[in-house]
Amino acid sequence: MSLFWRIFSLNAVGLVVAAALLLGPVTVSTPVLPAEALVVVVGLALLLAANAVVLRIGLAPLQRLGRDMATADLLRPGARTPVAGPTETAELITTYNTMLDRLEAERAAGAARALSAQERERRRIARELHDEVGQTLTAVLLQLKRVADRAPEELREEVGQAQEATRAGLDEIRRIARRLRPGVLEELGLPSALRSLAAEFSTHGLTVRHDVRGGLPPLTEESELVVYRVAQEGLTNTARHAGADRAEVRLRLVGDGVELLVRDNGKGLGGAPEGAGTQGMHERALLVGGVLSVGPGPDRGTDIRLRIPVSAGAR
Ligand SMILES: Nc1ncnc2c1ncn2[C@@H]1O[C@H](COP(=O)(O)OP(=O)(O)OP(=O)(O)O)[C@@H](O)[C@H]1O
Ligand SMILES: [Mg+2]
């Protein structure tokens, strides 16, 4: 029954009963006698109580819907409001749930397009850095070597320094290109790529251990890239924000899926709001049907867990 008819019929019943009583046995004198006042007050109280109960029951699903709308998060999809209540409310909830289906699908498609465009662009920049700036610097290095061979004694040291600086620049460019395009992923596969990532982030202040088990089910190329990018963002955050001296990258078979864990022993999230990095991790996870959680570690520090069910991400 619709909310309108519920409230209307309740009020109608109350008023009809009151009118029938007034026309029949009940009389109200002027001034009112105490017994009559009691009957009127009790009748009124009963009517109000019944009204309150019907409204409370009828509006509860709307309140629930309001709460769900306020906390809806497209990055954590799948939550739906149970369809309940009077007709209009049930229709509203169904429409809202359908709207969420559409928004989640559009968001996922949009994120997939944006992320693949980003990967393409990164590859292009990496290629240009490597093939163009890298080649130019290599040519400069060779030229400097020829100059060094023929340079008078007093210039040798300066030319040597220029060679050193050029070599450092070349290394830097190779490093940046490698980060932009995880070539190791294509060449050596995910376990080696994760090991090399751990080594890359290990500095004098931070030791990154890796625990990458063999015998993992093969993942699709897309899932491997997602695991790699999540590990990369997790370690970047550890290096930038955590103040940790130890971190760990772990990849294991857990249940029917593969789980990546990036754990550090730093100061923890401390209620920091999500940035683009964390949202990007969630979006990437959704892309391959994975689930990502970012939260406190067992003692202190931060844990990032990405679980990809094999059915969703396996080759
Ligand atoms: N491992 C960590 N330890 C401590 N704090 C962290 C850690 N990872 C994230 N944070 C906190 O969470 C915030 C959000 O991280 P997020 O990666 O989303 O954004 P960001 O790193 O600030 O920027 P970017 O968009 O460049 O990644 C950070 O600003 C930081 O305060
Ligand atoms: Mg970040």
Side-chain angles (χ1 to χ4, degrees):
M1 197 195 274
S2 75
L3 192 58
F4 171 83
W5 283 113
R6 280 191 199 193
I7 296 174
F8 179 79
S9 40
L10 179 81
N11 282 325
V13 167
L15 290 174
V16 166
V17 168
L21 286 175
L22 280 176
L23 292 175
V26 177
T27 48
V28 181
S29 348
T30 357
V32 181
L33 299 175
E36 291 168 351
L38 187 70
V39 169
V40 170
V41 168
V42 168
L44 193 61
L46 284 178
L47 192 59
L48 288 178
N51 246 315
V53 168
V54 167
L55 281 176
R56 169 76 58 217
I57 295 175
L59 293 181
L62 265 186
Q63 279 174 338
R64 163 105 213 246
L65 178 66
R67 275 199 306 276
D68 288 356
M69 281 175 156
T71 53
D73 184 354
L74 292 183
L75 286 180
R76 290 162 187 76
R80 294 289 179 270
T81 308
V83 178
T87 334
E88 307 95 325
T89 315
E91 272 171 16
L92 186 64
I93 295 175
T94 311
T95 311
Y96 170 68
N97 286 343
T98 317
M99 184 189 80
L100 275 188
D101 290 343
R102 205 182 60 240
L103 287 181
E104 282 174 6
E106 280 170 12
R107 164 119 205 185
R113 268 197 307 276
L115 289 173
S116 84
Q118 191 191 51
E119 290 295 342
R120 254 199 325 275
E121 188 64 1
R122 283 180 175 186
R123 268 193 204 113
R124 188 185 65 76
I125 297 172
R127 204 174 44 240
E128 286 185 7
L129 276 179
H130 184 271
D131 296 354
E132 290 175 25
V133 188
Q135 301 299 357
T136 311
L137 281 184
T138 310
V140 171
L141 203 59
L142 291 175
Q143 228 162 357
L144 280 174
K145 187 169 179 321
R146 279 198 295 276
V147 173
D149 292 344
R150 286 185 286 131
E153 193 59 44
E154 65 269 26
L155 279 184
R156 285 256 166 89
E157 199 189 325
E158 265 179 76
V159 176
Q161 281 168 358
Q163 276 177 299
E164 261 325 296
T166 313
R167 210 168 281 133
L170 202 52
D171 284 349
E172 183 79 350
I173 280 181
R174 289 204 182 113
R175 208 171 46 74
I176 294 173
R178 211 170 42 238
R179 267 195 201 179
L180 284 171
R181 178 189 52 178
V184 270
L185 198 55
E186 288 149 28
E187 287 152 25
L188 303 175
L190 185 61
S192 302
L194 288 180
R195 280 183 208 117
S196 110
L197 202 57
E200 199 181 308
F201 276 91
S202 289
T203 55
H204 46 273
L206 175 68
T207 313
V208 184
R209 288 201 311 125
H210 54 79
D211 177 2
V212 182
R213 300 283 164 95
L216 293 173
L219 294 173
T220 58
E221 218 171 88
E222 203 182 17
S223 301
E224 290 199 336
L225 189 58
V226 168
V227 170
Y228 184 84
R229 289 293 186 210
V230 167
Q232 196 175 29
E233 170 64 18
L235 288 176
T236 305
N237 278 349
T238 298
R240 274 175 62 194
H241 310 295
D245 60 6
R246 268 181 297 120
E248 187 186 353
V249 178
R250 194 193 282 177
L251 188 69
R252 304 193 160 166
L253 186 69
V254 172
D256 72 332
V258 171
E259 187 187 79
L260 169 80
L261 171 72
V262 181
R263 170 175 287 171
D264 68 52
N265 69 345
K267 66 180 165 65
L269 291 168
E274 277 185 5
T278 310
Q279 283 180 2
M281 289 196 284
H282 278 294
E283 266 162 13
R284 283 178 196 279
L286 286 181
L287 220 56
V288 292
V291 182
L292 182 104
S293 63
V294 182
D299 304 324
R300 56 189 200 115
T302 307
D303 270 13
I304 295 173
R305 260 174 224 279
L306 168 68
R307 190 174 290 198
I308 301 182
V310 168
S311 49
R315 236 192 286 261

